[in-house]
Amino acid sequence: VVPGETALAFYKAKNPTDKPIIGISTYNVVPFEAGQYFNKIQCFCFEEQRLNPQEEVDMPVFFYIDPEFAEDPKMAKVDLITLSYTFFEAKEGQHLPLPGYQ
């Protein structure tokens, strides 16, 4: 991905059980310092997703890397950014807090 250009990636999720599952995905960017340059335009994360028994789905994320990434001397040796997701089963009545800076 070239900084400043948008990109579309798909993550595959599968429910291998015989019961429907509702969950929420959170994301992580490595190296951590590059996370400030990662910008999601549209993402499935932080929204409940229902997967039926044995269902497999592709979940899209539309994003870009801020062009300032290329100008940051701390990022000079970073040539790989890894975006990963963790799917958590949602518990009834429990909500994940949205990330933010306070």
Side-chain angles (χ1 to χ4, degrees):
V1 174
V2 175
E5 292 183 7
T6 58
L8 179 63
F10 290 89
Y11 285 80
K12 190 173 297 284
K14 181 176 181 179
N15 177 2
T17 72
D18 60 353
K19 297 178 184 174
I21 187 169
I22 296 174
I24 300 170
S25 298
T26 61
Y27 74 97
N28 190 43
V29 176
V30 175
F32 175 76
E33 299 79 14
Q36 65 183 324
Y37 297 106
F38 179 79
N39 294 282
K40 294 183 309 313
I41 298 168
Q42 188 173 14
C43 182
F44 58 87
C45 55
F46 303 116
E47 295 178 6
E48 287 188 353
Q49 305 289 326
R50 178 186 170 95
L51 295 175
N52 290 316
Q54 303 301 318
E55 182 179 19
E56 185 173 283
V57 295
D58 287 328
M59 295 189 285
V61 59
F62 189 44
F63 68 97
Y64 71 95
I65 305 299
D66 191 307
E68 291 183 16
F69 170 86
E71 299 169 17
D72 185 341
K74 295 180 289 197
M75 298 292 112
K77 294 187 178 187
V78 175
D79 60 357
L80 179 67
I81 298 174
T82 302
L83 173 64
S84 62
Y85 285 87
T86 303
F87 185 81
F88 295 95
E89 184 174 2
K91 304 291 184 194
E92 190 171 331
Q94 183 180 37
H95 300 282
L96 289 178
L98 292 176
Y101 300 98
Q102 298 178 5

